Amino acid sequence: MKLKKVGKRKTTDEKLGVVKRYRLMDITKWNKKFQNIDNITNIFSNVISSKELKGYEIDINGEIRMLSTGNYDNKTNIDKFYVGEVIAIPSGGQINGSNNIKYHNGKFVNSGNLIASSLDNTKYSIKYIWYWMKQNKNLLQTMYRGSGIQHPDMIQILNVVIPIPPIEVQNKIVEILDKFTKLEAELEAELEARKKQYEYYRKKLLTFDEKLGGVVKIKDIFMIGRGRVLSKEYIRMNIGEYPIFSSQTENNGVFGKINTYDFDGEYLTWTTDGANAGTIFFRNGKFNCTNVCGTLKLKEQKNNLKYLFYILSINAKKYVNYATSNPKLMNNIMSEVIIPIPPIEVQNKIVEILDKFEILTNSSTEGLLKEIELRHKQYEYYRNKLLTFKS
């Protein structure tokens, strides 16, 4: 029998065609000329202030994207804008955040970003470059300098070398990664819809004629307290079973655990300082609080504490002082917070409904969060595979 001659099996890179490597500055053009760099510029030169950007009226159905340097990401409709397929990186701050390297194709206004577009769309896909930069955001972060607000060293960034396969391969990689990104976005949109649905019905249930029972100030029905300073060293030396609640909202606010407790029973606690100021928690059992955590204990058992938790979760945020860089809701202000008090039968019914709704929402939310995490890991795996080439 005559054996068929088998040729040498092609490597992955050979199947992809010739993978060339270019400096970022050789395949992009930017919205400004950088000092000591002979980079190519384009027309996207106008940059507005963050204050001006946030002053534009938000229109979720608007055609113009507002490109900021952080997580502020909205749409508007104004007369002056640019059009293009671009990448935006922050001119100051962090580049390795979850949404700090932005891609956009269409109309936009820009605040505080450096804007790049492809030098030649027939050779270099700007979206492929964006995916590569997202994969290597931690490397790019090392090229930001400064002790306070960090700024990019554009000499370093523009000299970063990027693997560039043929344009057909770039487009195919983008197509595959877009599908993963779209699926993750759809799951996140579903999660957000569930949360909004819960918030909508909670607000409807907690909005009623004040004549139904009248209103009270927090100081009229609660004993108002606060936690104490608990250092990390103290916690380390006194590890135990009783939780310490702090200003954080992750992990239900648990900061650590020690072998003693300051509070025992049913309480409401709230975050007094920081980004989460005014966040309310329902507590039951033996626990401790740090000095940035306020406590509320009913003077008399005439009201349903869970109802008060639900209503205060809405009303407390209205009293937070956002005038400083560190938002606050201190004890003296909390004492003046006004809440409606319907008859106890109504309170109990509201709690019954919201408890069931919360269990249902949390159950579906937990499933969605796991699915999002799984899809994100899957996306990162394939992104790393697709964007990694042999030297």
Side-chain angles (χ1 to χ4, degrees):
M1 183 176 66
K2 190 174 181 180
L3 294 175
K4 184 178 179 180
K5 186 175 180 180
V6 179
K8 181 182 177 183
R9 180 174 293 177
K10 290 185 178 181
T11 65
T12 302
D13 279 14
E14 285 172 335
K15 291 177 184 177
L16 293 174
V18 178
V19 179
K20 297 181 179 180
R21 284 167 170 78
Y22 296 95
R23 295 178 304 173
L24 184 59
M25 69 182 295
D26 296 326
I27 57 177
T28 54
K29 48 190 177 182
W30 294 75
N31 66 327
K32 66 177 291 184
K33 200 76 175 174
F34 301 113
Q35 189 175 3
N36 301 322
I37 308 174
D38 188 26
N39 68 292
I40 298 173
T41 59
N42 59 21
I43 64 168
F44 306 125
S45 57
N46 188 43
V47 178
I48 62 175
S49 69
S50 174
K51 184 177 181 181
E52 185 179 352
L53 182 81
K54 293 180 180 179
Y56 291 147
E57 183 177 351
I58 294 174
D59 181 353
I60 59 173
N61 298 313
E63 295 183 354
I64 303 162
R65 186 176 175 189
M66 295 188 274
L67 293 176
S68 74
T69 56
N71 288 324
Y72 185 81
D73 199 345
N74 287 295
K75 292 180 180 180
T76 188
N77 276 312
I78 54 174
D79 295 330
K80 191 174 181 180
F81 54 85
Y82 292 102
V83 181
E85 186 180 14
V86 298
I87 293 171
I89 68 171
S91 60
Q94 302 286 318
I95 195 174
N96 62 346
S98 61
N99 191 34
N100 289 359
I101 306 175
K102 297 180 171 69
Y103 165 85
H104 183 66
N105 188 6
K107 301 175 183 177
F108 68 91
V109 288
N110 173 39
S111 173
N113 286 291
L114 300 172
I115 303 289
S117 58
S118 173
L119 190 62
D120 185 344
N121 287 320
T122 65
K123 295 180 180 178
Y124 319 117
S125 163
I126 196 68
K127 199 167 192 183
Y128 166 85
I129 296 169
W130 173 69
Y131 274 122
W132 186 92
M133 291 177 75
K134 291 270 284 185
Q135 181 199 25
N136 292 276
K137 62 184 180 182
N138 290 331
L139 168 66
L140 296 174
Q141 183 61 52
T142 65
M143 300 171 188
Y144 274 62
R145 301 282 184 263
S147 55
I149 297 177
Q150 296 185 317
H151 299 281
D153 181 339
M154 291 308 296
I155 293 179
Q156 277 196 305
I157 288 176
L158 289 180
N159 277 286
V160 166
V161 175
I162 299 178
I164 302 291
I167 188 65
E168 297 82 7
V169 178
Q170 294 177 54
N171 292 338
K172 189 63 179 177
I173 289 171
V174 167
E175 180 186 342
I176 294 169
L177 293 178
D178 277 354
K179 288 178 180 177
F180 282 109
T181 304
K182 183 182 178 182
L183 178 58
E184 190 174 338
E186 287 172 351
L187 289 169
E188 287 175 346
E190 175 67 17
L191 179 63
E192 186 63 25
R194 297 286 176 87
K195 289 179 179 177
K196 286 183 177 179
Q197 185 185 40
Y198 167 71
E199 289 170 0
Y200 170 81
Y201 284 109
R202 182 183 66 176
K203 188 175 181 180
K204 289 285 283 185
L205 280 167
L206 294 172
T207 302
F208 35 71
D209 191 338
E210 291 175 357
K211 294 178 182 178
L212 189 61
V215 297
V216 298
K217 290 184 177 181
I218 290 301
K219 65 182 179 183
D220 297 331
I221 58 173
F222 281 109
M223 294 179 285
I224 305 171
R226 195 162 176 175
R228 59 189 171 103
V229 175
L230 292 164
S231 67
K232 290 183 179 179
E233 177 65 16
Y234 178 86
I235 296 170
R236 189 180 66 82
M237 297 297 293
N238 295 275
I239 294 175
E241 62 179 299
Y242 304 110
I244 303 168
F245 299 118
S246 69
S247 62
Q248 69 183 33
T249 56
E250 292 182 0
N251 194 29
N252 199 34
V254 177
F255 182 64
K257 292 184 177 182
I258 56 176
N259 52 16
T260 59
Y261 58 89
D262 294 334
F263 304 96
D264 185 7
E266 287 192 342
Y267 286 77
L268 300 185
T269 68
W270 86 93
T271 301
T272 61
D273 297 65
N276 301 312
T279 303
I280 310 296
F281 296 92
F282 180 89
R283 310 294 188 193
N284 187 12
K286 299 178 174 68
F287 64 94
N288 301 276
C289 284
T290 67
N291 59 308
V292 288
C293 181
T295 62
L296 299 172
K297 179 73 172 175
L298 279 172
K299 293 178 179 178
E300 298 179 288
Q301 303 301 315
K302 291 182 178 180
N303 294 292
N304 187 318
L305 186 62
K306 201 68 181 290
Y307 162 78
L308 298 171
F309 159 71
Y310 283 126
I311 191 66
L312 202 53
S313 294
I314 295 174
N315 286 26
K317 287 286 185 179
K318 301 174 186 176
Y319 291 78
V320 175
N321 180 5
Y322 293 102
T324 66
S325 58
N326 186 41
K328 293 181 182 295
L329 180 58
M330 309 310 287
N331 288 37
N332 61 321
I333 303 300
M334 174 59 87
S335 69
E336 299 296 323
V337 172
I338 295 172
I339 56 173
I341 300 291
I344 189 66
E345 297 82 9
V346 177
Q347 295 181 39
N348 293 341
K349 189 63 180 178
I350 288 171
V351 168
E352 180 185 347
I353 295 169
L354 286 178
D355 276 355
K356 288 178 180 177
F357 208 105
E358 191 171 61
I359 291 169
L360 180 63
T361 303
N362 288 343
S363 177
S364 60
T365 297
E366 186 178 341
L368 281 168
L369 285 171
K370 288 180 179 178
E371 182 69 11
I372 290 170
E373 183 183 7
L374 177 64
R375 294 303 177 189
H376 188 70
K377 287 180 178 178
Q378 191 178 37
Y379 156 74
E380 288 185 333
Y381 171 81
Y382 283 104
R383 183 189 64 186
N384 293 340
K385 281 283 191 183
L386 289 167
L387 294 174
T388 301
F389 304 92
K390 293 181 181 178
S391 300

